[in-house]
Amino acid sequence: MTLKAAVLGHPIGHSKSPALHRAAYGRLGIDVEYSAIDVTVPELPAFMASVRDQPGWCGLSVTMPLKTAMVDEVDEVRGVACILGVVNTVVFEADGTSVRRVGYNTDVAGIVNAVRHAGVVSAPSAVILGGGGTAAAAIAALKDLGAPSADVYVRDVGRAAEARAASQGVGLPVRILPLSGAAAAMAAADVVISTLPPRGADALADELAGLGARTPGVLLDVAYDPWPSRIASVWQDGGGTVVPGLEMLLYQAVEQVRFFSGLGDDVTAEVIDVMCDAVGAPRRVF
């Protein structure tokens, strides 16, 4: 039987998840039909109810703006997703004669592996731009990387509930600060993770360029379309290392493929290489 999987979000036409997943299942020799489905937050409950009764589903990738709303649409939440209240992965698990929909978060692993691949050492000084669901994953990732704390810069310091909850949940102290003061702090940090939407950091990039400061650290910009982003270009001009959001997308997708295929660690370097090829990313050196 052909299995079914999909990435959900709104808008979703730009997503590279189908290319990543299709390449992986092709290399693994597994018959999985993976699609992109446009779903808004109000439409999510009806969609999740509809797939419950459809045979053959093995997994869902979940992107913005659905990651928080998905918590209420699954039967169980596991791992760091329980702490963050953010689900980017749904796995359909057989439970006797029924199927359970289980929520996970692979964004944390995606961030950790992306910045480690760029050479980030343990215990970095860290800045996060944005305070939503991906910022929550970034806080958990920085905890895994040994960061002692992080400064989180947001447009509205009164609307960073997800970041505050993540800080408390994983035990990483954070300061919530206005985005207007981020430029100098970014330049001094070992690692900066921008979770802002495409073009959302353009004004900050101009401010950083105006400072003329060196940027010796690593910047992960989770937005990957258009690329390079303005903030990525300025960062690179300042001497820093840029990690495109495509790297995070790759590594979180690897974890999803492990879940959806049921093969776990048998999803090896050869599979990751064909996933890289599918989206024009450099092959890994293992």
Side-chain angles (χ1 to χ4, degrees):
M1 178 179 68
T2 299
L3 298 175
K4 292 183 290 185
V7 57
L8 311 181
H10 177 76
I12 201 62
H14 67 286
S15 176
K16 295 185 183 296
S17 290
L20 287 165
H21 280 260
R22 290 167 185 167
Y25 303 128
R27 180 65 178 81
L28 290 166
I30 300 173
D31 190 6
V32 178
E33 182 183 274
Y34 189 101
S35 59
I37 303 175
D38 195 297
V39 179
T40 65
V41 171
E43 293 167 343
L44 184 61
F47 176 85
M48 291 301 291
S50 72
V51 298
R52 178 184 289 278
D53 298 324
Q54 295 176 14
W57 282 96
C58 61
L60 297 170
S61 308
V62 184
T63 189
M64 297 302 292
L66 306 177
K67 294 181 180 182
T68 302
M70 185 59 84
V71 172
D72 294 329
E73 303 303 329
V74 295
D75 301 307
E76 182 182 353
V77 181
R78 293 181 189 162
V80 72
C82 294
I83 298 172
L84 302 181
V86 179
V87 167
N88 82 314
T89 303
V90 179
V91 181
F92 292 74
E93 293 187 356
D95 183 18
T97 58
S98 62
V99 174
R100 290 181 61 78
R101 302 169 302 179
V102 182
Y104 294 91
N105 187 300
T106 67
D107 281 340
V108 176
I111 293 170
V112 169
N113 289 324
V115 297
R116 279 183 176 160
H117 180 67
V120 170
V121 296
S122 61
S125 60
V127 164
I128 297 170
L129 306 180
T134 306
I139 290 169
L142 289 168
K143 176 69 173 181
D144 287 351
L145 290 165
S149 63
D151 287 343
V152 181
Y153 289 88
V154 297
R155 291 188 178 89
D156 182 351
V157 296
R159 298 182 62 188
E162 289 167 299
R164 290 188 172 93
S167 168
Q168 183 175 6
V170 303
L172 182 75
V174 303
R175 294 190 301 170
I176 307 296
L177 301 165
L179 193 63
S180 58
M186 290 171 62
D190 295 321
V191 59
V192 176
I193 302 173
S194 174
T195 70
L196 298 174
R199 306 190 188 281
D202 284 3
L204 187 57
D206 292 338
E207 183 182 352
L208 186 62
L211 291 176
R214 298 290 294 167
T215 53
V218 172
L219 167 71
L220 167 61
D221 185 357
V222 304
Y224 58 85
D225 185 18
W227 191 260
S229 62
R230 172 69 176 143
I231 191 71
S233 296
V234 169
W235 193 265
Q236 195 164 42
D237 289 345
T241 299
V242 172
V243 182
L246 194 58
E247 293 284 314
M248 173 190 168
L249 184 70
L250 167 70
Y251 282 113
Q252 65 83 30
V254 169
E255 300 304 313
Q256 291 179 340
V257 169
R258 288 174 170 149
F259 278 125
F260 297 172
S261 67
L263 294 176
D265 290 340
D266 288 338
V267 176
T268 58
E270 291 80 7
V271 178
I272 297 172
D273 277 343
V274 299
M275 294 173 75
C276 290
D277 294 345
V279 294
R283 287 193 167 199
R284 310 294 94 167
V285 177
F286 294 95

